[in-house]
Amino acid sequence: MTKPIIVSGMQPTGNLHIGNYLGALKNWVDLQNSGQYQLYLFVADLHSLTLTMTPETRRENVRLLAAEYIAAGIDPAKTTVFVQSHVPEHSELAWIFNCVTPVSELERMTQFKDKAAREDKNINAGLLTYPILQAADILLYHGTLVPVGQDQVQHLELTRDIARWFNNKFGDYFPTIKPLLTKIPKVMSLLEPAKKMSKSKGAGHIIALADEPEIIINKLKKAVTASAGGGQAPGVENLLSLLQQFGATETHQKFIKAEQAGTIRYGDLKQELAAAIAHYFADFRQKRQDLLANPKKLEKILMAGAQQAGVVARATMSEVKKIVGIR
Ligand code: TRP
């Protein structure tokens, strides 16, 4: 019996925060540890070329993200972990998919429209064709399950369409994929709790997985708890939800009861939450530091991952080339 294949990745844009962790990485680790799937997880460095970033920063971010995957529990002995550009077949398949995808379908993508509005000085063609590369990432490995956040669902629908357009044109070859959405707690910004936690707003809005305990408490001390009008304050709701994720059940229950009784003290809540998060990621911080201090070890892991992925990728491309008539 072969296991269902899961493919996913993230763009290397700097330290991960607890929103990224609860939204994706934790889920990957759980799927890996269930033993029921074969996973391909990569650092989407080719995708990051659509963003404005210096080459030095990009190089550093790739290493950092790979180290954070592994420090968070992705085990290279169980999961194929690699850097996207190390397997050139991603780009090769993307070109073939370019030639079956209508431009109008790409222009419809919400994320393209958002990014084009934001990056108005750098609306490169890659920003438009980005979901085609994403389709190639997945279908290269005959992936059928793709654990992503809600913001990626439209891209996955496009991946499914691309497989269909290819199959209609050349005959049945690629499988139908499914997004794997799990119940993910919404993690909000510490300073603007009406908005999603995002690093683009500034370091004070997020808690990074790598943040040291004293940084965590300092950031939480500044977290907004005030209510805009009547009803529960979104900032408090966010802190309680984080305590549920990272703290002990009894501690969470205690604060929920206090909140209902109107006796809750936000200072105490912040102290408890800071301690819980610092404790939860203690092992992560240590492993991350060890990997970053030992670049040879990390490089070896990533080379082995690219080698494993490459075997599958080359087999797929060899078939695809025959199917489309370029071999
Ligand atoms: N587009 C995804 C993101 O920004 C990253 C990504 C690239 C991806 N290729 C993928 C995710 C393939 C899942 C599968 O989050």
Side-chain angles (χ1 to χ4, degrees):
M1 276 297 284
T2 54
K3 295 175 179 175
I5 292 166
I6 287 181
V7 182
S8 204
M10 288 186 211
Q11 293 199 62
T13 55
N15 283 339
L16 295 175
H17 59 69
I18 53 176
N20 304 131
Y21 178 76
L22 294 174
L25 188 50
K26 177 173 188 288
N27 193 16
W28 296 356
V29 174
D30 292 343
L31 289 164
Q32 165 193 276
N33 292 342
S34 78
Q36 293 181 48
Y37 307 97
Q38 185 175 358
L39 281 81
Y40 292 87
L41 300 178
F42 57 89
V43 175
D45 62 341
L46 294 174
H47 279 90
S48 81
L49 288 167
T50 63
L51 306 174
T52 308
M53 193 187 296
T54 67
E56 293 74 27
T57 304
R58 180 172 291 107
R59 198 172 291 121
E60 188 49 32
N61 283 350
V62 168
R63 252 164 44 81
L64 207 64
L65 184 56
E68 294 206 330
Y69 282 1
I70 296 165
I74 297 302
D75 177 356
K78 297 180 185 157
T79 291
T80 305
V81 191
F82 62 104
V83 177
Q84 184 184 30
S85 69
H86 293 179
V87 183
E89 284 77 12
H90 287 249
S91 310
E92 219 180 347
L93 184 58
W95 174 253
I96 291 178
F97 285 166
N98 260 278
C99 302
V100 303
T101 307
V103 175
S104 57
E105 296 286 336
L106 299 172
E107 287 168 341
R108 278 194 323 109
M109 294 293 119
T110 327
Q111 202 176 71
F112 169 68
K113 290 193 271 190
D114 289 351
K115 282 192 188 170
R118 251 187 291 136
E119 299 240 348
D120 61 348
K121 287 194 200 69
N122 180 22
I123 310 177
N124 55 80
L127 225 40
L128 179 69
T129 58
Y130 172 112
I132 295 184
L133 180 58
Q134 185 162 353
D137 297 336
I138 298 164
L139 295 170
L140 198 49
Y141 303 101
H142 300 272
T144 52
L145 300 171
V146 189
V148 285
Q150 188 61 40
D151 64 324
Q152 293 296 317
V153 169
Q154 201 185 26
H155 289 164
L156 296 191
E157 284 164 2
L158 190 73
T159 297
R160 194 156 50 193
D161 289 338
I162 289 174
R164 195 164 45 78
W165 294 323
F166 181 97
N167 291 351
N168 286 345
K169 199 161 179 172
F170 298 111
D172 227 15
Y173 179 68
F174 286 112
T176 304
I177 64 140
K178 271 209 294 266
L180 206 62
L181 293 168
T182 39
K183 265 198 258 115
I184 291 164
K186 263 211 177 147
V187 181
M188 311 310 278
S189 155
L190 300 181
L191 300 179
E192 286 175 67
K195 299 197 180 126
K196 222 171 84 166
M197 183 175 283
S198 156
K199 132 174 92 227
S200 60
K201 294 203 190 73
H205 289 257
I206 65 161
I207 293 175
L209 309 193
D211 279 347
E212 293 294 336
E214 58 280 10
I215 306 248
I216 299 175
I217 185 62
N218 283 336
K219 285 182 177 176
L220 280 176
K221 275 185 186 158
K222 299 193 184 105
V224 172
T225 49
S227 159
Q232 197 184 34
V236 176
E237 204 179 322
N238 190 39
L239 300 183
L240 285 169
S241 155
L242 290 173
L243 188 60
Q244 181 172 25
Q245 294 300 319
F246 296 115
T249 314
E250 314 83 73
T251 315
H252 174 244
Q253 281 308 318
K254 191 181 86 190
F255 280 98
I256 291 284
K257 288 214 183 85
E259 150 94 337
Q260 284 160 355
T263 57
I264 189 164
R265 287 167 40 171
Y266 298 140
D268 295 349
L269 171 61
K270 289 174 171 186
Q271 289 290 348
E272 285 283 358
L273 180 58
I277 294 175
H279 175 71
Y280 189 97
F281 290 107
D283 187 46
F284 169 90
R285 290 193 299 274
Q286 186 62 52
K287 281 196 184 139
R288 175 183 179 278
Q289 207 159 31
D290 290 348
L291 282 163
L292 292 177
N294 196 344
K296 287 252 157 58
K297 183 174 167 193
L298 187 58
E299 199 180 315
K300 228 169 123 183
I301 293 173
L302 295 175
M303 269 169 53
Q307 203 139 22
Q308 274 175 34
V311 172
V312 181
R314 283 191 293 277
T316 302
M317 274 323 290
S318 152
E319 289 177 338
V320 167
K321 284 179 178 174
K322 279 190 209 131
I323 291 170
V324 303
I326 56 173
R327 180 170 291 172

